[in-house]
Amino acid sequence: MRTRAVASPWDCGPLARSRGRGPAIRRQWLMPATALCGVLLLLALVATAHAAQAEDGVLAAAQSALAAGQPVQALNLLTGHPGVARPGLVRLVVSRAQLALGRGDEALAALDAAVAGAPPGAEAWPPALRGAVAQVRGEALLARAVQHPGDESAARQALENALRQPGDGVAVDRCLDLLAELARRAGDGALVERYAGALWGEWPRSAYHAHAGVLLARQVAVAQPERARAILADLRVSADLPAALRLDAVELLCRVLLPRRPGECLVVAEQETARAGAEPGQLPLYRALALAALDPDDGRAALAALTPALAADPAVAAARARLDGGARTLTAAQRRERAAAEAELGHGEAARGLLAPLIAEDADALALFVQLPGTALEPLATLRSARQLPGALALGRALVLAGHAAPAWVLLQPHLGAATPPAVRPTLLYWAEQAARAAAPDQAAALRTQLLACPGTGEEIGLAWSDEARRRESAGGDAATAWARAAAALPIVHPWQAPAAWRAARAWSEQDDRLAEVRDLLQGPAWAGDDADQLRCRFLLAQVLERLGDRAGARRAAASLRERADPAQRERLERMIARLQ
């Protein structure tokens, strides 16, 4: 669209031109006088602009110093700044600098300094800054709470106010973390779960995410042990977890696992003890207790080797009493669980020795045995346990992966017509279909149709839908729906989950009525990691959130991509972030 040229407001020429035949003297005086007024006004405005620019430059320098961990420099830069005299960004930076120095009283004084003619309290501040002011107030009150215990309640109220009116400068994730910690101190489990749960679920890239996970897992460990286990298992694979927080997380994970999964507890305790080195905390205690649950002889030896401080734990006396009154030989269940732990720890021969006496009759033992490296598979097909569903399924899968489709089909085919439990039917159908492609091609299509009709989620269902999506792409059909089904079914850690999600999202993102669906599809893989497909999901998520009106969420997603972008991508991101400010 073409635009009309508009004369500059400082263009005095038209004012100087006479519109009639007035005296020449009038024109002679009018031109210099008007020009002089214009020049003086322009000089005044330029001077004001330079002064404001200089002040803004000082403010920017102070903000940079504060962000770099130099609060004293930030205070020095803002000393005498005119903005200190009124509620605004300058005064907020001063208060934050005082807070960074641990001066809660001074931070509050900077927020609450009287201003002539201004309303008291928060109403004196620009609306866009009131959320940030509430956050700083809450943190300042917490800094004073050591000497003023009553300040914790006021701090909680201020931080809740910050969440209710987020604006420029409100760190929502930090507010949630502080509120969760305050709730823990107050013994309010419902609020711990509310705030820590929101931070854990909605801020996966936050610096406070791990702390929220530990708080949430500790809160739900008794009532929801599997939920706690899943949270702590996610934390355990985090590469950048601080050592102290990691030790808290893995000790809590061992405590959750010990009653129901002593083999997994043993694995975590041994692996994390090796990682922790000289500061293993209570991990040796959990290792000994896990061994006591799995093997009487090894358990007694591990309990006897504990330090006096760890041996004083009441659980040690209880474990010794149980061992003294129990059987001295391992049950089949103990052998299987101990063998699974040894296999995960890389002790393949120890696992083989535990399982070998069981595999002829025990299908669950056979299922573990076939996973051990170096196992000869085809001779195992003659065992009685290989005709039972758990054995047939594990051995059939292993044979398919080894390229032996015919014996795998012989094992799996008899179970297809049986009343297979719904939990394992997708797995059976998937590996039977894989075997049938080579051993019984005429039956493969029907098995694939049955598999695609299975409800729920799981790796096999997701892989089947991935295959279906590629088939539809080749045929020119609706692949997006198949990719979305694959993304929804596959575990978040599966390498095909993110590619499936962005393929579906890319196809649906032009349909305004599907944007919420696309957002939900992308949320998981977008924040699950930093590989190329996950970053692609995050960028698509930023675009979708912007179109849905969630500017803060879109800005957060876009900003998280900066350091991983090449120059061309970074330029595009910066334009997007500027648009979202």
Side-chain angles (χ1 to χ4, degrees), residues 229-412:
R229 171 178 169 266
I231 293 168
L232 295 165
D234 282 349
L235 284 175
R236 188 174 171 235
V237 300
S238 299
D240 56 351
L241 209 60
L245 191 59
R246 182 182 190 87
L247 186 59
D248 282 349
V250 295
E251 286 181 347
L252 180 56
L253 178 57
C254 285
R255 189 154 66 247
V256 169
L257 291 172
L258 181 62
R260 299 173 181 82
R261 302 169 183 258
E264 290 185 29
C265 177
L266 176 63
V267 170
V268 173
E270 289 210 6
Q271 290 179 338
E272 295 298 330
T273 297
R275 179 194 289 266
E279 300 293 336
Q282 291 192 308
L283 292 174
L285 170 64
Y286 288 113
R287 176 184 179 275
L289 293 173
L291 282 171
L294 294 170
D295 187 311
D297 292 335
D298 288 352
R300 287 188 184 88
L303 292 171
L306 290 173
T307 64
L310 293 178
D313 191 290
V316 173
R320 283 178 173 150
R322 189 173 60 254
L323 289 173
D324 291 340
R328 301 188 63 86
T329 57
L330 278 67
T331 66
Q334 286 175 319
R335 279 181 170 273
R336 289 195 302 267
E337 190 162 3
R338 179 74 186 275
E342 296 294 351
E344 190 167 349
L345 289 168
H347 308 152
E349 288 309 308
R352 196 181 303 277
L354 287 162
L355 294 171
L358 304 177
I359 60 173
E361 301 293 332
D362 189 331
D364 292 321
L366 177 63
L368 292 171
F369 193 80
V370 299
Q371 298 175 46
L372 298 176
T375 299
L377 299 174
E378 293 194 64
L380 300 176
T382 62
L383 297 177
R384 179 180 175 183
S385 59
R387 297 195 294 274
Q388 301 168 32
L389 179 59
L393 190 51
L395 184 55
R397 175 185 182 277
L399 287 166
V400 169
L401 292 174
H404 305 308
W409 176 249
V410 170
L411 285 171
L412 296 171

